[in-house]
Amino acid sequence: MNDSTLSYYLSSTLMAFALFFSCQQAYAEITPKPHHIAFTEGQFELTQETEISFNHPDAKPVAEYLAEFLRPPTGYLLPVTKQTRSQRNVITLHLVDSALAEEQYRLAVSAQSIEISARTPTGLFWAVQSLRQLLPAEIESRMPINQASWAVPQVTINDKPRFKYRGMHLDVSRHFFDVEFVKRYIDWLAMHKFNVFQWHLTDDQGWRIAIDAYPKLTEIGATRPHTVVGHTYDYQPLFDQQPVSGFYTQAQIKEVIAYAQARHIEVIPEIDIPGHTSALLAAYPELSCHQQPVKVQPQFGIFEDVLCPREDVFAFLSTVYKEVAELFPSQYIHIGGDEVIKKQWLASPFVKQLMREHQLSTPEQVQSYFIKRVANIVQAQGKTVIGWDEILEGGVAEGAVVMSWRGTQGGIAAAKLGHQVVMSPYQYIYFDAYQSRNLDEPKAIHGLSTLKNVYHYEPQPSHLSPEQQELIIGAQGALWTEYIKTPRHAEYMVFPRLSALAETLWSAKADKSWSEYSQQRLPKLMQRYKKMHINAATSAYNPTISSTIKGEQLQVSMRTDIEGTEIYYTLDGSEPTLTSLRYQQPIIISERTRVRARSFAKPLGQLVGDAQLTLAPHLALGKKISFSYQPVEGSATKLQDGQFAYDQFYSVNDYAIFYDSDLEAVIDLDSSTLVERVEIGYNSGRHRQLHPPTSIKIWGSNDNKNWQPLAHIQQPPGPMSILSFAATRVRYLKVSAINSKQSQDIQIPKLPLYIDEIAVY
């Protein structure tokens, strides 16, 4: 082999390797991950000469959708024809009679053509979504792009979904979102191959769907005078004095349904009963048991007002669900059934008589009676009932599908009873939860559901039998909007968690890899979201700060969920930069320190996150502590872990919690110790105004019998109290904080006292 031949051989090999590598990179862009994929060298060039063809009238809408999607960024007016004779520069969409599954597709890209085949138009549509992700991210622009090349790597894909139900929910009752936003939401679902959109149309804070037979539902029920500012459970809630109003006409409902159908997405309406009906009862108060005026709720949570299980109520609901059934072609109607407070039922003479007549011994059986009556109404319209897992209580309606939201146990129980199940556990796939504890996160309801946690969620519990696992037909994410007022905020909460859930529901379980997803597909997705002008969260790159007790000191560790992400930190509370200390190993803290950290997300080329944690090594770290009234199980350790919570968003796990009782604790310092100050944190969570104690007192003792008063304070300020006193040698400290125990809120019958830390100096 001469030098020129060797040079040519090496050049060709390197080019082939580069093409193969580029194909691998392109594959990394496809989310959810396809089931089977194979690469060859070369690429298909999309040009203004490209033709799109189809072989069957049912394939034409998908072909037209593809042409319309490609037009804005490319400027190409690609022809859509039936059965082209051309063998070059053509995209063909073929419906085929074969053994392919209903949503399965095959996509083959060569230098001359792109061939898409499926048994159904839905399969063709999902193939188009994969093709979309094989193109450069600039294809997402809805404006012309001066792009030199629109290349698609040569690849063969054979793909199908794991679950038949791949759902996402949107609450438009708490905050109203217009038709244009709902359409964008549906587009996002289509891109990620979701096939169900659950539209939560009614709740205590607003009725959002026009019902011709009952116009007051929207005339009265669609408007509330104002909304709580901060959190609905704040110690002293405030209101914004700004009315919230809005509903969808039946014409708009039909418009959204048609839009979703064109994207092969089923729209399931939710009309929530018998609880979460304040807006309904504000319009028609005679449908309650007490028949007194009810208001559309300006706060969030659970309320006493519920529908009464009378015949006039069922007649009313029959008319409502009949109109809903006529509007929505979906096979399902969601009837809610969750969080029903039964106080008004138990006080009602009518309900007491009903219980006697039907041999109902518990309020749960009354709820079951109500749900079964409504299920009959819905089933009479030829629809299948879906309800939240509370519909299991007292006996579930025959044929109902159970949506398990309070964890997985409801779904497990329903599957064992032979019911189909859609998993929607709030701990994993409720997207109204925080994505990190960092202070750059926007307000959320509570809880923590990180991108990594969403990705690792598995809908089919392993301890179910194979037959029972088959009854888990899929899962559904949820976006509740109590604290989400704007489209930009909604985008932040949905992306990129939507992509992680998509991969769980579509991709083969054995093929899932957090490392591969986070290192390869996620960076590409974030670039694509940016081109789509989506306000996607970067929270997966955010740092987490934690500490453990090491004698009288604290050892601080930092991490991120994405391997290889660099963390920069400061120890004086100043904002970290790329010139700050880079975290490499745990740090020992021996004095009060405010640790602050940010991460450098390489794929984004920027610092992200704002993790902060105030650490306070003190004399009571890890010492023995006893209580007159036990706190919530497992929470006592938070009193002496050296961490104050006021630099992070509220998490119940940061506190020792006393429900309807006081804190009265005795700390054993092991030996006689000179003390002169005690700091107590209690109203520390960002975003939440926690209930403060009414008074705090400190005593000292050397025998745990004879106590000397050291300090006290009445009506302590927030977020913490510092009680100083003359330096005194004591072995034992007694600390009391009095719970006000004066809840006026039905949602908090027992007032919680949260204590963050008892720091002794």
Side-chain angles (χ1 to χ4, degrees):
M1 183 181 295
N2 59 35
D3 289 347
S4 60
T5 303
L6 178 62
S7 175
Y8 175 78
Y9 174 80
L10 290 174
S11 175
S12 299
T13 301
L14 288 172
M15 286 179 64
F17 179 79
L19 282 169
F20 181 79
F21 182 76
S22 70
C23 289
Q24 293 280 9
Q25 290 296 99
Y27 168 46
E29 290 189 52
I30 300 180
T31 304
K33 181 180 179 180
H35 280 233
H36 174 76
I37 194 161
F39 300 96
T40 55
E41 296 179 19
Q43 58 190 21
F44 174 89
E45 288 284 347
L46 182 73
T47 72
Q48 60 186 352
E49 305 300 324
T50 300
E51 184 179 348
I52 300 174
S53 75
F54 60 93
N55 73 330
H56 190 281
D58 290 346
K60 183 178 180 181
V62 182
E64 291 175 334
Y65 168 90
L66 174 59
E68 182 62 23
F69 176 79
L70 296 174
R71 182 183 58 79
T74 65
Y76 302 158
L77 296 174
L78 301 183
V80 177
T81 62
K82 186 175 182 181
Q83 294 290 33
T84 179
R85 294 181 179 179
S86 173
Q87 299 299 315
R88 298 182 61 83
N89 209 351
V90 63
I91 303 172
T92 62
L93 284 77
H94 283 176
L95 286 175
V96 296
D97 293 324
S98 71
L100 294 178
E102 183 176 354
E103 296 183 86
Q104 188 174 358
Y105 69 87
R106 290 174 180 160
L107 171 63
V109 181
S110 69
Q112 292 78 33
S113 66
I114 297 176
E115 296 182 4
I116 298 172
S117 58
R119 186 165 63 85
T120 65
T122 302
L124 295 178
F125 186 80
W126 301 141
V128 166
Q129 301 309 312
S130 291
L131 174 59
R132 165 185 185 174
Q133 292 189 57
L134 288 169
L135 283 156
E138 286 75 13
I139 203 70
E140 303 296 341
S141 173
R142 300 299 88 193
M143 299 291 289
I145 297 291
N146 185 18
Q147 179 91 357
S149 173
W150 298 103
V152 182
Q154 290 191 195
V155 62
T156 301
I157 300 174
N158 190 342
D159 199 11
K160 63 180 179 180
R162 177 184 174 194
F163 289 102
K164 70 177 184 179
Y165 187 111
R166 306 180 302 281
M168 191 64 198
H169 153 290
L170 176 64
D171 166 23
V172 295
S173 176
R174 277 49 180 268
H175 283 98
F176 181 71
F177 292 86
D178 64 20
V179 167
E180 290 309 308
F181 176 82
V182 175
K183 286 181 177 179
R184 290 205 306 276
Y185 199 84
I186 289 168
D187 278 330
W188 300 337
L189 302 191
M191 174 184 173
H192 294 81
K193 300 187 176 77
F194 285 80
N195 63 350
V196 174
F197 167 52
Q198 182 182 324
W199 208 354
H200 185 82
L201 291 162
T202 72
D203 217 295
D204 295 295
Q205 294 75 26
W207 183 281
R208 305 298 182 200
I209 175 173
I211 300 297
D212 289 342
Y214 300 113
K216 286 195 293 185
L217 285 171
T218 49
E219 290 172 1
I220 296 173
T223 303
R224 63 177 183 264
H226 51 235
T227 304
V228 66
V229 175
H231 196 278
T232 198
Y233 297 140
D234 280 354
Y235 168 54
Q236 295 175 320
L238 302 173
F239 296 90
D240 60 12
Q241 307 309 316
Q242 297 178 6
V244 175
S245 187
F247 68 92
Y248 307 101
T249 66
Q250 293 199 2
Q252 288 174 320
I253 295 282
K254 292 175 181 177
E255 179 184 347
V256 169
I257 291 170
Y259 192 85
Q261 285 178 324
R263 286 147 185 81
H264 299 266
I265 291 174
E266 182 177 5
V267 182
I268 298 176
E270 182 182 357
I271 309 297
D272 205 347
I273 54 87
H276 287 296
T277 50
S278 298
L280 185 161
L281 292 171
Y284 297 95
E286 63 270 22
L287 300 179
S288 68
C289 287
H290 59 66
Q291 300 186 334
Q292 299 298 313
V294 174
K295 64 180 179 179
V296 181
Q297 287 292 340
Q299 290 181 273
F300 309 117
I302 313 170
F303 302 92
E304 283 189 11
D305 290 306
V306 298
L307 296 172
C308 203
R310 297 193 311 265
E311 291 305 317
D312 61 320
V313 174
F314 295 124
F316 180 97
L317 292 176
S318 180
T319 301
V320 169
Y321 282 114
K322 184 174 187 297
E323 285 198 29
V324 171
E326 290 171 350
L327 272 174
F328 288 85
S330 166
Q331 63 177 312
Y332 301 106
I333 289 179
H334 202 301
I335 63 172
D338 61 314
E339 298 180 325
V340 181
I341 295 178
K342 304 168 181 71
K343 181 178 179 180
Q344 291 180 0
W345 286 351
L346 292 174
S348 166
F350 171 81
V351 174
K352 291 177 181 177
Q353 178 62 29
L354 179 77
M355 294 177 73
R356 287 192 292 269
E357 290 177 358
H358 293 271
Q359 291 82 50
L360 307 176
S361 58
T362 67
E364 287 72 28
Q365 289 178 345
V366 176
Q367 178 171 333
S368 176
Y369 170 83
F370 197 114
I371 294 297
K372 288 176 179 177
R373 289 291 303 270
V374 173
N376 289 337
I377 290 169
V378 171
Q379 290 163 353
Q381 301 299 322
K383 305 291 187 179
T384 298
V385 166
I386 300 182
W388 302 109
D389 54 59
E390 286 94 331
I391 69 172
L392 290 166
E393 297 171 2
V396 63
E398 185 177 351
V401 176
V402 174
M403 188 168 282
S404 187
W405 76 274
R406 294 179 297 176
T408 60
Q409 290 306 310
I412 291 169
K416 289 181 177 179
L417 290 171
H419 288 264
Q420 289 191 332
V421 174
V422 176
M423 287 294 195
S424 188
Y426 75 90
Q427 302 96 325
Y428 298 97
I429 52 178
Y430 267 32
F431 294 168
D432 53 334
Y434 284 106
Q435 300 179 70
S436 80
R437 299 291 307 283
N438 285 200
L439 291 183
D440 60 342
E441 296 288 351
K443 186 193 305 179
I445 187 168
H446 54 62
L448 183 65
S449 182
T450 66
L451 181 67
K452 187 175 183 179
N453 286 344
V454 173
Y455 189 85
H456 283 306
Y457 173 61
E458 168 50 44
Q460 290 182 322
S462 59
H463 59 276
L464 289 177
S465 69
E467 293 77 18
Q468 291 166 346
Q469 285 190 352
E470 287 298 313
L471 292 170
I472 311 293
I473 60 174
Q476 180 169 285
L479 186 66
W480 301 98
T481 62
E482 286 94 335
Y483 303 98
I484 301 171
K485 298 182 179 181
T486 66
R488 295 294 281 171
H489 191 175
E491 291 171 6
Y492 185 92
M493 303 305 280
V494 169
F495 293 100
R497 289 187 287 192
L498 186 72
S499 68
L501 180 57
E503 195 140 306
T504 291
L505 297 178
W506 181 280
S507 304
K509 180 180 177 180
D511 289 343
K512 288 185 64 184
S513 163
W514 166 253
S515 176
E516 183 186 272
Y517 166 82
S518 62
Q519 299 288 340
Q520 298 181 35
R521 288 190 291 288
L522 179 61
K524 298 293 184 179
L525 272 174
M526 295 298 281
Q527 293 176 16
R528 195 165 292 267
Y529 295 154
K530 187 174 182 179
K531 298 296 182 182
M532 297 169 71
H533 303 288
I534 287 173
N535 181 33
T538 58
S539 308
Y541 296 94
N542 287 1
T544 297
I545 306 172
S546 61
S547 71
T548 55
I549 297 172
K550 294 292 183 180
E552 297 180 355
Q553 299 175 317
L554 292 169
Q555 180 174 287
V556 178
S557 300
M558 304 180 199
R559 65 170 183 82
T560 71
D561 281 342
I562 298 182
E563 186 179 351
T565 303
E566 295 177 348
I567 301 173
Y568 295 85
Y569 70 94
T570 63
L571 299 177
D572 60 2
S574 61
E575 183 176 347
T577 67
L578 290 174
T579 61
S580 300
L581 296 168
R582 185 163 69 88
Y583 178 76
Q584 294 179 309
Q585 61 187 13
I587 307 157
I588 298 297
I589 299 294
S590 58
E591 60 184 7
R592 191 183 189 93
T593 303
R594 185 182 175 203
V595 183
R596 194 169 179 184
R598 303 192 75 195
S599 299
F600 182 70
K602 291 181 182 178
L604 309 176
Q606 65 187 65
L607 285 169
V608 298
D610 187 6
Q612 300 183 39
L613 186 60
T614 295
L615 299 169
H618 57 84
L619 297 173
L621 278 183
K623 300 298 184 183
K624 183 179 179 181
I625 186 169
S626 59
F627 301 95
S628 298
Y629 311 101
Q630 286 296 323
V632 170
E633 184 178 357
S635 68
T637 58
K638 295 302 177 181
L639 291 172
Q640 299 163 289
D641 63 1
Q643 298 181 15
F644 281 95
Y646 49 69
D647 289 326
Q648 302 185 71
F649 280 115
Y650 166 81
S651 170
V652 69
N653 296 322
D654 289 334
Y655 302 90
I657 308 166
F658 299 83
Y659 280 110
D660 200 33
S661 63
D662 305 323
L663 161 69
E664 189 172 296
V666 175
I667 302 169
D668 184 352
L669 299 175
D670 293 335
S671 62
S672 182
T673 305
L674 191 67
V675 297
E676 60 184 7
R677 188 172 84 254
V678 174
E679 297 180 3
I680 301 180
Y682 43 81
N683 190 14
S684 301
R686 296 288 182 104
H687 154 221
R688 289 286 297 273
Q689 295 177 24
L690 305 178
H691 293 262
T694 59
S695 67
I696 299 173
K697 294 181 180 180
I698 310 292
W699 296 268
S701 173
N702 280 300
D703 60 5
N704 201 15
K705 295 178 181 178
N706 300 296
W707 293 97
Q708 173 188 357
L710 297 178
H712 74 274
I713 185 172
Q714 293 292 125
Q715 302 300 323
M720 63 180 294
S721 287
I722 302 175
L723 292 89
S724 299
F725 43 87
T728 307
R729 284 197 170 273
V730 296
R731 174 174 173 174
Y732 301 96
L733 277 177
K734 182 189 291 185
V735 181
S736 77
I738 305 302
N739 188 336
S740 64
K741 306 185 190 72
Q742 294 178 352
S743 176
Q744 303 300 317
D745 189 341
I746 184 63
Q747 301 169 66
I748 312 177
K750 291 185 177 182
L751 201 63
L753 178 64
Y754 295 90
I755 304 296
D756 172 21
E757 185 78 7
I758 302 177
V760 180
Y761 301 96

